[in-house]
Amino acid sequence: MKDNSVLKVGGTFAILLGIAKFVATVAYFIVPPEQRLDVPGVQLLPSVAKDSTVLFLIFWLEAFAGVVGLGVVPAVSRLVRDKSEGWVRWAGALATVGFAVSAVGYLLTIARLPTIAAVYVKGDASTQAALAAVWKSSPDLLGFWGYGAIGIWILIVSLLLLRGGPLPKTLNTVGVLLAVDALGVPVAQLLKSGSLIAIIAAAGAVLVPVWCIWIGLTLRRSASAA
């Protein structure tokens, strides 16, 4: 009997990924404005020292998403490996690194940011100036890995499936839109555009759960039917 645990586990993780990312995105619009992505350290650090409950909820959810995402990549990639194995393997490797870097980055931030914020508010002017310049802990400051690399993988998988595959064309079209949305994150970070980040986050709040949960349910059905 063929082992379909990759599809079953990947499907379950895809559903969890969609839920975690949706809650994190909703929380992003609840978090104090001075704790959002485009805010400099001189504003963010005092705010974090005062109250960072919602912000750290986002960090934990994103770290969790990075971990479960590692199980989604091989399951989804299996659906298209016979169409272009070279592209699928390359893109899958990018996404795997992307999810791993994202998880590690958020966990590093969870561990370091409270201490940095506490030292900042108690420090003198020179200490504050130094911390404001180097406070970020993530190895993925522009979101290239956590969003860009994963977006490339989703784009390649979705385009291949649009040429014919086991998933509905509507789902694959959502995948293309999600990929474009994810690829916009590094661009918005480079431009330091808070308004563009907000637009991308709003679109992602719809696209991410739809794609992840839909594809997760499809993977689980495929595992049961095989």
Side-chain angles (χ1 to χ4, degrees), residues 23-189:
V23 176
T25 303
V26 171
Y28 181 76
F29 290 99
I30 299 174
V31 78
E34 59 271 17
Q35 294 180 13
R36 292 181 181 167
L37 287 175
D38 58 316
V39 175
V42 292
Q43 298 176 32
L44 182 139
L45 292 173
S47 178
V48 168
K50 183 178 179 181
D51 182 10
S52 59
T53 303
V54 178
L55 182 64
F56 275 78
L57 171 63
I58 296 172
F59 291 163
W60 278 112
L61 287 167
E62 292 287 1
F64 174 77
V67 172
V68 297
L70 295 171
V72 177
V73 175
V76 176
S77 296
R78 178 181 283 193
L79 299 176
V80 291
R81 187 154 290 168
D82 60 336
K83 300 182 181 303
S84 182
E85 187 171 359
W87 281 109
V88 173
R89 284 184 177 274
W90 174 75
L94 276 183
T96 299
V97 174
F99 279 118
V101 169
S102 181
V104 170
Y106 280 107
L107 290 172
L108 281 172
T109 300
I110 289 167
R112 296 187 61 196
L113 187 56
T115 302
I116 293 172
V119 172
Y120 179 88
V121 296
K122 295 177 182 177
D124 56 22
S126 60
T127 299
Q128 290 181 341
L131 289 176
V134 298
W135 65 271
K136 294 183 179 181
S137 302
S138 174
D140 189 23
L141 296 179
L142 297 178
F144 171 79
W145 289 106
Y147 292 92
I150 295 170
I152 290 171
W153 169 68
I154 295 174
L155 181 63
I156 289 175
V157 167
S158 299
L159 290 176
L160 289 173
L161 286 168
L162 277 172
R163 293 164 53 184
L167 301 184
K169 286 189 176 181
T170 304
L171 173 56
N172 299 325
T173 302
V174 172
V176 172
L177 294 175
L178 175 57
V180 173
D181 189 66
L183 289 167
V185 172
V187 176
Q189 290 280 62

Side-chain angles (χ1 to χ4, degrees), residues 37-38 136 142 186-197:
L37 287 175
D38 58 316
K136 294 183 179 181
L142 297 178
V187 176
Q189 290 280 62
L190 281 170
L191 296 175
K192 300 185 184 302
S193 173
S195 57
L196 181 56
I197 290 171

